[in-house]
Amino acid sequence: KKITVPLPKAKDSGYLLNVNNSDSLSIAVKVTQVNVTGGFTLVAQSGSRVFFRANGPAGQVISQVNIDKSKLPSGIVRLTLFSASGEPLNERSVFVQNPDKLNLVIKTTQPSYKTGDKVTVDVNAKDGDKLATGSFSASVVNEDEVPFNEAEENTILSSLLLTSDLKGYIEQPNYYFTNISKKTAADLDLLMLTQGYSRYQWKKIIGDTPVPAYLPEKDLAISGRVTKNGSKPLANYNVVLSGPAAFGLRDTVTNADGSFSFNNLYFNNDTRFTVRTSAPGGKDNAIMDIDKPATAPTDDYSFNKPRAASDTATLSTYARVSNSIYEQEIKSGIRGRLLKEVKINRTHIKSPREIEIEEDTQYSSNLNGKGKADQVFTTKDLEEFRSFDLFSTLEGRFHNVEIKGNITKGGYLPYMRQPNGMIGAKQASMTIVLDGVILNPVGSKDSPLSMIPSIQNIASVEVLTSAGSRAIYGQDGVNGVVIITSKMGGNVKESHNSPGMVNLTVKGYYKAHEFYSPKYEVTKLKTPDLRTTIYWEPLLETDKNGNTSFQYFNAGTKGTYRIVVEGVDDNGNLGRQVYRYKVE
């Protein structure tokens, strides 16, 4: 099918931008002014930084300039031509491949090994002639069982320097960084002329560097804004942040526009917090909104493209190896015992009460399991009570629990009865857990009673009094536990429990899992070692001499083992090296 597409008509006046990137040392730029007399400005920009700027004299028909590549960073550089008034006229993207890549040297004590042998790998990093300190990752794979097409890999070089700054799917991103030649450089320039093109997203950058849309994340923070009726900002309001027992309390004051922020926080993934605010005079008439951190958009590529024959062969090899591993694990009992077909003749039909408890405890933080308690009060149970105070309302309805008034703290607290039905004179009140957060004990500076929402905003109350149910809480469960879960809508992990109070779940630092690597010196494996991924280490730090090392044991399979080390040094230089050895 042939289609004829007319080229756009040539204009009688304007600017021609001609860029030659074939020289390894500099970029030759020629600007031709056709029937125009105004001056221009040429800007070279990488990322959000401007690295070169030159003004073209007015009235000169042809202007030429050579841009020294050593002054530019490796990666995509956009050359933009601006008019005297700052309007973008022409743009051309080029890719700079400077010799600034780290030199990584990988060594093993011998060129080949046997299955199960211990391997020590030494790595040395250099930035030119200087030793480099930095952070690196390492992976070891049996290449015969997990074949690689190096041109199609996503590496630290292709990701940070190329694909992160281009729109659309890149067929073979690592092709341009493997065995660099004049041909790969020419192909890379063609890529810049096609997918490197983008429409102008700004009017002027002369004199100003664009502000990054996403600032560097130096620490964890929780911030928000306090308003009256959701509009008028409230200044000088006290804001208290409470979290897990080890976290304690933080407090601050809103500024003139009602905003507040808790900075320099440290907590793990999915941590529950309560944020509460109050007026200087103690009034509770504020509405608080918590900021949701901005996240960078992700590209939605379509991968429904025909697979090449090489892709099919690679997947076939991997599928065959995976199937053999699975069958071996079935035989050895690692994956349990394969059962014959089981027919279910009767199913358990949940009672209305079971469904009610399941629904109202879906956000419960009960360590025994949602709804698994000695006594559960659901939303329906709590709706029968009109009082705002939880414990005084439930007095007489708790099993093995007595409610005692605490005048000095202005409220009531639950105490667990002993087997003889009595409460010890020095016995502390039950531990109160609100949305996964253990509230401060009575007698501390801040009473837990001030943090408990009104009954109308509570989804469920779970009571743990038996030794078996409270044992999982350790020392915190000695005197019993009351677990309160506030109402939350849908899957939203944030809820306005009462005016001036918000419960939220925040994602913190991820607890890293250590990659399992068997040690044959310590134990003998009863089953064949059929691992395809032999070793993985996400964090290797070089010392002042640029050296680091790691150790592991070969699997029980023969083949070519492929070591990949990549990372970045303290000056931001990238490095990647592949090393292979034989296992016979």
Side-chain angles (χ1 to χ4, degrees):
K1 190 173 183 180
K2 293 184 178 180
I3 301 175
T4 302
V5 180
L7 294 173
K9 293 182 179 180
K11 295 184 178 180
D12 296 329
S13 63
Y15 296 82
L16 296 175
L17 176 65
N18 181 274
V19 178
N20 188 342
N21 190 30
S22 59
D23 188 8
S24 61
L25 300 178
S26 63
I27 303 171
V29 182
K30 182 171 71 172
V31 179
T32 304
Q33 296 176 246
V34 181
N35 297 327
V36 290
T37 57
F40 63 87
T41 300
L42 178 67
V43 174
Q45 180 181 252
S46 179
S48 61
R49 291 184 59 191
V50 174
F51 288 88
F52 176 86
R53 181 186 283 112
N55 295 321
Q60 185 170 319
V61 177
I62 298 177
S63 301
Q64 298 188 68
V65 64
N66 289 329
I67 304 176
D68 185 358
K69 286 187 178 180
S70 65
K71 306 296 183 183
L72 301 173
S74 288
I76 296 175
V77 175
R78 300 190 186 276
L79 299 169
T80 310
L81 196 66
F82 290 91
S83 67
S85 61
E87 294 293 322
L89 303 170
N90 305 58
E91 186 173 82
R92 166 79 149 88
S93 294
V94 296
F95 196 93
V96 176
Q97 284 183 307
N98 283 327
D100 56 359
K101 191 171 67 171
L102 289 175
N103 181 27
L104 299 179
V105 178
I106 303 175
K107 292 182 180 180
T108 56
T109 53
Q110 50 194 76
S112 62
Y113 293 85
K114 294 181 180 179
T115 57
D117 278 356
K118 184 177 182 180
V119 180
T120 300
V121 181
D122 296 317
V123 181
N124 178 262
K126 284 187 178 180
D127 177 11
D129 296 330
K130 299 180 296 182
L131 298 172
T133 57
S135 299
F136 301 87
S137 67
S139 64
V140 184
V141 173
N142 186 341
E143 197 171 31
D144 288 359
E145 298 183 340
V146 187
F148 284 89
N149 184 337
E150 290 202 28
E152 295 183 352
E153 282 189 285
N154 284 309
T155 69
I156 191 172
L157 301 175
S158 64
S159 295
L160 294 184
L161 300 181
L162 184 65
T163 57
S164 61
D165 205 20
L166 289 184
K167 293 183 178 180
Y169 177 70
I170 309 299
E171 291 290 336
Q172 296 183 330
N174 201 41
Y175 159 75
Y176 308 101
F177 302 93
T178 304
N179 300 322
I180 298 174
S181 63
K182 288 185 178 181
K183 185 180 186 310
T184 60
D187 291 344
L188 187 52
D189 200 46
L190 291 175
L191 181 67
M192 294 297 103
L193 285 167
T194 52
Q195 286 182 241
Y197 171 80
S198 62
R199 294 185 180 275
Y200 302 113
Q201 297 179 346
W202 65 88
K203 284 293 183 182
K204 295 182 180 181
I205 65 169
I206 295 181
D208 295 312
T209 300
V211 178
Y214 305 97
L215 298 176
E217 297 178 359
K218 297 182 179 180
D219 54 36
L220 297 177
I222 295 176
S223 61
R225 194 163 180 260
V226 179
T227 60
K228 183 177 181 180
N229 299 326
S231 57
K232 181 183 178 181
L234 297 175
N236 299 319
Y237 266 53
N238 301 316
V239 182
V240 177
L241 174 70
S242 65
F247 184 85
L249 289 176
R250 305 270 182 111
D251 64 285
T252 187
V253 178
T254 59
N255 57 23
D257 64 354
S259 61
F260 64 89
S261 180
F262 295 96
N263 300 312
N264 300 318
L265 303 181
Y266 182 91
F267 52 88
N268 294 324
N269 202 19
D270 286 341
T271 300
R272 305 292 291 271
F273 288 96
T274 298
V275 188
R276 188 181 181 89
T277 184
S278 60
K283 296 181 179 180
D284 234 0
N285 62 344
I287 293 178
M288 182 164 43
D289 292 309
I290 302 298
D291 295 334
K292 294 184 178 179
T295 55
T298 56
D299 293 323
D300 185 17
Y301 297 134
S302 175
F303 294 98
N304 296 326
K305 61 184 183 71
R307 288 196 173 275
S310 59
D311 295 340
T312 305
T314 298
L315 289 174
S316 298
T317 302
Y318 181 72
R320 175 179 54 78
V321 173
S322 297
N323 185 62
S324 63
I325 294 175
Y326 178 80
E327 291 177 348
Q328 185 60 48
E329 289 177 344
I330 290 291
K331 291 178 181 178
S332 61
I334 295 177
R335 287 186 176 267
R337 189 172 296 173
L338 193 62
L339 300 178
K340 296 180 180 179
E341 181 183 4
V342 177
K343 292 184 179 180
I344 300 174
N345 298 321
R346 182 180 297 179
T347 58
H348 171 69
I349 300 176
K350 296 178 182 177
S351 67
R353 177 63 177 174
E354 287 177 313
I355 296 174
E356 186 181 313
I357 292 176
E358 188 177 273
E359 290 178 349
D360 290 346
T361 60
Q362 60 176 314
Y363 296 108
S364 169
S365 61
N366 190 344
L367 298 181
N368 294 297
K370 305 176 189 302
K372 294 183 179 180
D374 298 304
Q375 192 175 5
V376 179
F377 295 93
T378 64
T379 301
K380 186 177 179 180
D381 299 329
L382 299 173
E383 284 176 351
E384 299 176 2
F385 313 129
R386 296 183 179 180
S387 172
F388 281 83
D389 183 83
L390 175 66
F391 294 126
S392 63
T393 300
L394 295 178
E395 185 173 11
R397 296 176 176 87
F398 281 122
H399 299 161
N400 299 320
V401 175
E402 183 176 331
I403 306 300
K404 296 179 64 177
N406 193 306
I407 304 302
T408 59
K409 295 296 179 182
Y412 299 87
L413 285 168
Y415 290 79
M416 188 180 72
R417 290 195 183 99
Q418 300 299 323
N420 58 7
M422 304 296 291
I423 296 176
K426 295 183 179 181
Q427 182 179 333
S429 62
M430 299 174 71
T431 296
I432 301 173
V433 181
L434 174 62
D435 293 329
V437 178
I438 297 179
L439 302 185
N440 294 319
V442 177
S444 64
K445 182 180 179 181
D446 298 278
S447 169
L449 298 175
S450 62
M451 306 298 295
I452 298 175
S454 59
I455 285 182
Q456 289 83 348
N457 292 298
I458 296 176
S460 65
V461 177
E462 298 165 81
V463 186
L464 309 181
T465 53
S466 65
S469 64
R470 53 190 170 90
I472 195 170
Y473 283 87
Q475 191 63 31
D476 291 324
V478 170
N479 296 303
V481 183
V482 177
I483 302 166
I484 304 171
T485 303
S486 58
K487 290 181 179 178
M488 297 188 181
N491 292 323
V492 179
K493 292 189 176 182
E494 180 179 318
S495 130
H496 292 272
N497 299 311
S498 60
M501 180 175 175
V502 173
N503 291 318
L504 66 158
T505 300
V506 186
K507 288 189 177 296
Y509 292 111
Y510 168 72
K511 286 186 176 181
H513 296 275
E514 183 178 352
F515 183 82
Y516 172 70
S517 182
K519 295 178 172 59
Y520 287 177
E521 294 174 337
V522 177
T523 179
K524 275 190 174 182
L525 298 182
K526 297 180 180 180
T527 59
D529 184 358
L530 302 178
R531 292 172 296 138
T532 55
T533 300
I534 314 303
Y535 183 77
W536 178 67
E537 173 55 59
L539 182 59
L540 288 171
E541 295 182 330
T542 55
D543 57 22
K544 62 181 181 180
N545 296 319
N547 295 321
T548 187
S549 64
F550 55 94
Q551 296 177 334
Y552 58 89
F553 288 84
N554 290 330
T557 54
K558 300 177 181 180
T560 301
Y561 282 31
R562 182 177 187 255
I563 303 174
V564 178
V565 177
E566 58 183 21
V568 59
D569 72 356
D570 294 343
N571 295 320
N573 297 311
L574 304 178
R576 184 175 190 270
Q577 188 61 263
V578 178
Y579 178 88
R580 294 175 173 86
Y581 66 90
K582 286 285 187 180
V583 175
E584 300 170 341

